């Protein structure tokens, strides 16, 4: 039984019906005969859907009297309503249309959003149809509805994403789409340790990542240069360990309320936050904050350089594991997601035998909080708890490939973040004004033109959880630089994670990518206008 969705503009349903019916002739009389919608070219969607069929002669245009209908079960009503509200708040801004949200009323609600679709659609799948009668997005869950509405936004003219009112028409080409993701893990990572980014800046990055159906937001919250998440039981981690950043400018950290705001904002866009506390290396911020964490009992100074591999927690001291227990408990309390990332990379100052002792003990502190362990590929050297995820960051080197296979061999999943393809801090080419090049230069094509299933030889497809594009911020200290490095390459990783392998074709993708340029202009994204792309 579909309970009535509360109209989101606090007016009675009858009033809405009357308004919509009254408005029709008035608007029809007062505006020139609506131009017959011109058949728009089949819009370029990223990620490419599983199936997309053009419906000739079935174009539709949003009208001033368009009404959004929500069809959902009572238990999903609130979440479905929120998806409808997110869509209409953006479209009201750009179209100026009232776009009320009401329960579905055939003949009135020309945009129908439903979570009563078949369970065969899966958690993130959806069906979308545009025809002469209107638009319908059907999913089995609110998450799937959100993914479908994300596609609907790309079917509208790019100006629909503008922050200010734009002139119509708001044409939609007739189409029938059925879609669901190839991989369940489609992520990006933001390093807020090397340079700190405010809640507002993080929200902007989440907004842009969600446009391409990413569903994991990995936050690199602690490293040598800064500790960024509040731990009440070890307060100096943020008050002192979070005070600086690379180059010695003021750093920062998230209070529990601020981190909760980030988690909520991400969840509203169906991205799960995965918090990373990098250990045992990359720990100078913690070591500088608490002398007792150091083997020699002496706290090093805060570090604002960009070297790696010089720090290590003290594997032989019990206080190290008491510390980790407190940290992972408080981080787990702040993270509703099922995964905590314990780092594990570049432990060059941890004797290898100590590393093999440390990781299982740190992992035990994560599983104690009923969370799955995630870590960089090096953790595959140790026996991993069930449900673990190893993050491959190799450059096609034999050692990294061996670690990925080792992880799979013990039943762990693998997330692919090849540094020479998916690291968004890598320069595009020699002229890129910032970023790094230790993994090579990563052009837009290099970042897209690879297949997750075949990247690592003899890595079983069943072990691959998906892909993730990290952006490390040693050289990126503001949002403009982040956007420049992430766009246009992040959508390519998103497509590799979502679309079927058969859909992956650089020439076709390159053309679809070019059509995103006008959308990024509407969104004021500071993207790199790679000369090899036909931006339009
Ligand atoms: N490698 C380090 C990062 C960062 C990166 C910059 C990993 C797992 C180089 N570790 O990537 O901390 O410095 O590209």
């Amino acid at each position: 039984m579909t309970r009535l969705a509360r109209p989101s503009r606090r007016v009675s349903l009858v009033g809405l019906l009357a308004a919509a019916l009254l408005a029709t002739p008035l608007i029809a009389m007062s505006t020139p005969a609506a131009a017959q919608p011109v058949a728009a070219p089949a819009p370029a969607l990223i990620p490419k859907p599983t199936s997309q069929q053009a419906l000739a002669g079935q174009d539709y245009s949003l009208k001033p009297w368009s009404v959004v209908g929500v069809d959902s079960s009572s238990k999903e009503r609130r979440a479905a309503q929120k998806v409808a509200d997110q869509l209409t708040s953006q479209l009201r801004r750009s179209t100026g249309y009232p776009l009320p949200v009401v329960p579905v009323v055939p003949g009135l609600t020309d945009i129908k959003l439903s979570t009563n679709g078949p369970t065969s659609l899966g958690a993130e799948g959806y069906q979308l149809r545009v025809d002469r009668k209107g638009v319908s997005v059907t999913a089995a869950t609110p998450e799937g509805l959100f993914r479908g509405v994300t596609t609907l936004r790309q079917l509208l003219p790019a100006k629909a994403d503008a922050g200010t009112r734009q002139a119509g028409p708001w044409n939609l080409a007739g189409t029938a789409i059925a879609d669901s993701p190839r991989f369940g893990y489609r992520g990006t990572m933001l390093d807020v340790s090397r340079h700190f980014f405010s809640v507002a800046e993080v929200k902007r990055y989440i907004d842009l990542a969600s446009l391409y159906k990413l569903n994991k937001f990995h936050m690199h919250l602690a490293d040598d240069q800064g500790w960024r998440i509040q731990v009440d039981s070890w307060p100096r981690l943020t008050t002192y360990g979070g005070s600086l950043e690379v180059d010695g400018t003021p750093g920062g950290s998230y209070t529990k309320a601020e981190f909760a705001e980030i988690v909520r904002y991400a969840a509203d866009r169906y991205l799960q936050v995965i918090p990373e506390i990098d250990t045992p290396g990359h720990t100078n911020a913690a070591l500088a904050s608490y002398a007792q964490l150091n083997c020699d009992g002496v706290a090093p100074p805060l570090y604002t350089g960009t070297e790696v591999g010089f720090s290590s927690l003290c594997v032989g001291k019990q206080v190290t594991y008491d510390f980790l227990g407190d940290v992972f408990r408080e981080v787990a309390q702040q993270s509703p997601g099922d995964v905590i990332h314990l780092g594990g990379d570049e432990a060059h100052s941890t004797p290898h035998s100590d590393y093999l002792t440390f990781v299982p003990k740190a992992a035990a502190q994560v599983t104690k909080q009923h969370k799955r362990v995630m870590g960089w590929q090096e953790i595959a050297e140790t026996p991993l708890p069930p449900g673990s995820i190893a993050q491959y960051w190799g450059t096609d080197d034999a050692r990294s490939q061996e670690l990925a296979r080792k992880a799979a061999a013990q039943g762990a999943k693998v997330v692919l973040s090849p540094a020479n393809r998916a690291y968004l801090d890598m320069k595009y080419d020699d002229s890129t004004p910032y970023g790094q090049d230790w993994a090579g230069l990563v052009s837009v094509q290099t970042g897209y033109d690879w297949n997750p299933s075949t990247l690592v030889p003899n890595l079983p497809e069943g072990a691959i959880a998906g892909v993730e594009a990290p952006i490390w911020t040693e050289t990126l200290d503001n949002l403009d630089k982040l956007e420049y490095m992430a766009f246009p390459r992040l959508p390519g990783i998103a497509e590799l994670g979502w679309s079927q392998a058969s859909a992956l074709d650089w020439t076709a993708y390159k053309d679809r990518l070019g059509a995103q340029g006008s959308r990024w202009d509407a969104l004021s994204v500071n993207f790199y206008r790679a000369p090899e792309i036909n931006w339009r």
Side-chain angles (χ1 to χ4, degrees):
M1 201 287 251
T2 303
R3 279 183 45 201
L4 292 185
R6 238 177 320 103
S8 67
R9 300 171 69 86
R10 279 195 298 280
V11 293
S12 76
L13 179 57
V14 172
L16 274 173
L17 284 169
L21 294 173
L22 271 177
T24 307
L26 284 180
I27 288 180
M29 275 186 314
S30 62
T31 50
Q36 278 308 314
V38 176
L45 297 176
I46 296 177
K48 186 175 174 60
T50 306
S51 75
Q52 177 180 3
Q53 180 198 355
L55 302 179
Q58 295 279 354
D59 296 351
Y60 187 72
S61 299
L62 285 193
K63 310 287 192 306
W65 54 87
S66 283
V67 178
V68 176
V70 176
D71 171 37
S72 66
S73 66
S74 54
K75 78 175 171 60
E76 292 174 341
R77 181 180 55 75
R78 186 178 304 278
Q81 182 79 34
K82 184 174 277 193
V83 174
D85 290 347
Q86 286 169 322
L87 172 67
T88 49
S89 65
Q90 171 54 39
L91 295 184
R92 286 180 196 131
R93 200 174 18 240
S94 52
T95 65
Y97 298 170
L99 297 173
V101 178
V102 297
V104 168
V105 175
L108 170 71
T109 49
D110 55 329
I111 302 168
K112 176 181 169 187
L113 307 181
S114 171
T115 58
N116 287 331
T119 51
S120 55
L121 287 170
E124 296 192 78
Y126 65 90
Q127 290 164 343
L128 185 155
R129 183 181 176 86
V130 176
D131 60 28
R132 268 197 296 272
K133 296 194 301 299
V135 180
S136 70
V137 183
T138 304
T141 70
E143 181 176 12
L145 184 63
F146 182 81
R147 304 294 179 223
V149 164
T150 301
T151 298
L152 173 58
R153 285 181 62 177
Q154 282 196 16
L155 290 170
L156 282 161
K159 59 189 178 183
D161 277 328
T164 56
R165 183 157 177 180
Q166 308 294 311
W170 303 98
N171 297 340
L172 286 154
T175 189
I177 290 172
D179 201 7
S180 64
R182 176 184 182 191
F183 292 111
Y185 190 114
R186 306 179 311 279
T188 187
M189 184 210 84
L190 178 58
D191 168 13
V192 295
S193 176
R194 277 45 182 273
H195 279 99
F196 179 68
F197 288 85
S198 68
V199 173
E201 291 170 325
V202 173
K203 285 180 173 180
R204 166 67 171 185
Y205 192 73
I206 290 170
D207 271 339
L208 298 177
S210 73
L211 293 177
Y212 297 96
K213 302 192 176 76
L214 293 180
N215 67 349
K216 307 291 182 188
F217 181 49
H218 171 182
M219 292 186 79
H220 189 75
L221 292 161
D223 206 302
D224 291 320
Q225 296 86 349
W227 186 287
R228 306 299 182 204
I229 185 166
Q230 178 61 26
V231 179
D232 294 335
S233 48
W234 295 74
R236 276 175 60 83
L237 291 172
T238 45
T239 56
Y240 183 69
S243 58
L244 297 180
E245 60 182 15
V246 165
D247 295 335
T249 41
S253 60
Y254 308 111
T255 64
K256 291 196 171 182
E258 288 167 333
F259 193 75
E261 175 64 12
I262 290 171
V263 168
R264 182 198 62 74
Y265 196 85
D268 283 351
R269 289 147 186 83
Y270 292 91
L271 283 129
Q272 179 193 64
V273 170
I274 295 177
E276 178 188 350
I277 303 296
D278 205 343
T279 65
H282 289 274
T283 44
N284 189 78
L287 296 166
S289 303
Y290 289 97
Q292 68 267 39
L293 290 177
N294 298 267
C295 280
D296 62 3
V298 177
L302 289 174
Y303 179 71
T304 60
T306 57
E307 293 303 312
V308 298
F310 59 86
S311 57
S312 176
L313 291 174
C314 186
V315 173
K317 277 186 165 182
Q318 178 53 41
V319 66
T320 297
Y321 307 98
D322 300 339
F323 166 73
L324 291 174
D326 291 338
V327 166
F328 287 132
R329 182 185 68 255
E330 292 199 42
V331 170
Q333 287 164 352
Q334 299 183 65
S335 312
D338 64 337
V339 175
I340 285 186
H341 198 302
L342 54 65
D345 64 309
E346 298 180 315
H348 304 325
S349 298
T350 312
H352 190 58
S353 58
D354 281 357
Y355 182 83
L356 299 177
T357 303
F358 172 85
V359 173
K361 294 179 78 169
Q365 296 301 339
V366 171
T367 53
K368 187 173 157 188
Q369 300 303 326
H370 311 296
K371 303 289 185 180
R372 295 170 63 190
V373 168
M374 185 165 176
W376 299 102
Q377 61 193 26
E378 293 92 325
I379 65 168
E381 290 265 58
T382 71
L384 298 171
S388 293
I389 303 170
Q391 186 165 4
Y392 170 88
W393 61 285
T395 56
D396 300 333
D397 58 294
R399 164 104 179 104
S400 298
Q401 293 176 348
E402 181 50 34
L403 287 166
R405 287 190 291 265
K406 263 187 126 167
Q410 58 172 309
K413 295 295 184 189
V414 176
V415 164
L416 298 167
S417 299
N420 57 343
R421 293 178 178 85
Y423 270 29
L424 301 176
D425 58 315
M426 290 303 119
K427 291 174 181 289
Y428 290 94
D429 58 33
D430 288 324
S431 72
T432 307
Y434 19 78
Q436 305 193 51
D437 59 8
W438 67 269
L441 299 174
V442 179
S443 67
V444 183
Q445 178 170 4
T446 302
Y448 175 82
D449 216 1
W450 57 282
N451 185 342
S453 302
T454 56
L455 179 75
V456 177
N458 303 318
L459 178 65
E461 167 118 24
I464 301 171
V467 294
E468 179 182 297
I471 189 158
W472 300 100
T473 58
E474 284 93 337
T475 64
L476 308 174
D477 58 357
N478 65 43
L479 206 50
D480 273 354
K481 294 177 183 175
L482 276 189
E483 293 180 5
Y484 187 87
M485 300 302 275
F487 293 86
R489 290 178 297 189
L490 185 57
I493 298 294
E495 173 144 321
L496 292 179
W498 179 280
S499 304
Q500 299 307 308
S502 54
L504 304 179
D505 168 72
W506 166 248
T507 306
Y509 171 76
K510 176 180 173 182
D511 183 62
R512 286 185 279 122
L513 184 62
Q516 296 294 313
S518 52
R519 191 165 302 279
W520 295 339
D521 287 336
L523 288 163
S524 307
V525 178
N526 179 49
F527 70 100
Y528 167 55
R529 290 175 184 275
E532 69 271 25
I533 306 295
N534 167 26
W535 297 111
R536 57 193 188 281

